[in-house]
Amino acid sequence: RVFLIAILLLLLYYRSTYVFWEDGGIQSLTAEIDHGTAKGLYVTENTKTMYNQMYKDTEQIRKMSEETMVLYEADNVLWMSGKQHCGSYSPLNYSLSVDPTILYDYYEAHPDKMADVMYISDIYPDLADTLATKYGYYIEKKEVGTLLWREGR
């Protein structure tokens, strides 16, 4: 019984002081995102700045038709901000930056699902070049990321 109470108190402590996606704990969450998918979230100033820059980088994607196949790398929530189709095995491409072979296998099995446009943030500097070279995408450098376009888009 004492053990259970100790665990519950520990969980309560971490629930009220720790935020897994931000270093610095709850006290560091001083900036509120005021637009887009993340509207209303409190984050650090650095995260808000990065989100705003990525949101600006991807504005033209959100204006594309609903038929467009889009891939966003995993470190952002922007994949939820448009009405376009997912051009990947999952909207959460967590393994993409570590090992993109799952994406290669997916496109080999489902060439009709290949993304028309991809957004890769500068967090993964080599990934955009690798994907552009492998699939023949055109590269458009943005403020904090790279847009990759298929011919005809």
Side-chain angles (χ1 to χ4, degrees):
R1 186 172 195 115
V2 173
F3 179 72
L4 180 60
I5 292 172
I7 294 293
L8 289 174
L9 289 174
L10 185 65
L11 290 174
L12 180 63
Y13 170 77
Y14 278 113
R15 179 68 179 113
S16 62
T17 61
Y18 177 73
V19 180
F20 71 90
W21 66 84
E22 295 282 5
D23 292 329
I26 289 179
Q27 298 79 15
S28 68
L29 308 181
T30 59
E32 182 179 5
I33 295 178
D34 59 3
H35 61 280
T37 306
K39 182 178 180 176
L41 289 180
Y42 282 88
V43 295
T44 62
E45 287 292 334
N46 287 343
T47 298
K48 181 179 180 181
T49 299
M50 180 63 80
Y51 176 83
N52 287 338
Q53 291 168 329
M54 286 181 173
Y55 194 83
K56 182 180 173 188
D57 278 359
T58 58
E59 184 175 350
Q60 62 198 106
I61 295 175
R62 287 187 297 283
K63 294 178 180 178
M64 298 176 93
S65 81
E66 291 182 21
E67 305 307 312
T68 306
M69 302 293 282
V70 179
L71 180 146
Y72 291 98
E73 52 84 5
D75 286 351
N76 61 65
V77 296
L78 294 173
W79 62 270
M80 295 185 284
S81 65
K83 296 180 180 179
Q84 293 78 20
H85 295 285
C86 177
S88 178
Y89 54 90
S90 168
L92 301 172
N93 297 291
Y94 288 114
S95 64
L96 188 58
S97 61
V98 177
D99 181 13
T101 58
I102 191 171
L103 183 68
Y104 304 159
D105 294 342
Y106 178 79
Y107 285 160
E108 187 175 317
H110 306 282
D112 58 316
K113 301 290 185 183
M114 185 174 288
D116 299 310
V117 60
M118 297 181 182
Y119 178 75
I120 310 295
S121 73
D122 289 342
I123 296 168
Y124 308 111
D126 299 330
L127 184 58
D129 289 334
T130 300
L131 292 169
T133 300
K134 183 162 181 68
Y135 294 112
Y137 285 91
Y138 298 102
I139 294 175
E140 180 182 346
K141 185 70 185 109
K142 302 301 265 181
E143 189 173 350
V144 293
T146 302
L147 287 176
L148 302 175
W149 302 90
R150 280 179 52 193
E151 187 174 347
R153 280 301 194 182

